[in-house]
Amino acid sequence: MDNGIKHTILVALSNHRGDDLERARMAFQRFTQKEMDLPYGQSDATPREILAAYEQHRTRVDLAIQTVEAL
């Protein structure tokens, strides 16, 4: 794979990785365990579910980054 293309893919994946997980952790850090299990905002998801979704996204993107780096 051309190094320029590889770099472009890695930059795109890094941008897609985002900082949503860190932002959610900051937003929910003072929540009690009970609050973590109550619906949050308009999403009908709990903070715990929101964090889990962001963690899954992060894991998938990190795996994609590792895969491209190995090429």
Side-chain angles (χ1 to χ4, degrees), residues 16-17 21 25 48-64:
H16 183 59
R17 186 176 191 262
L21 179 58
R25 284 179 177 158
R48 193 175 314 281
E49 293 167 336
I50 292 167
L51 284 170
Y54 286 144
E55 288 168 354
Q56 289 172 355
H57 171 77
R58 175 67 56 88
T59 298
R60 286 191 308 268
V61 174
D62 286 348
L63 180 58

Side-chain angles (χ1 to χ4, degrees), residues 6 10 13 60-71:
K6 184 176 181 178
L10 290 171
L13 286 169
R60 286 191 308 268
V61 174
D62 286 348
L63 180 58
I65 290 170
Q66 291 172 4
T67 300
V68 172
E69 286 175 339
L71 296 177

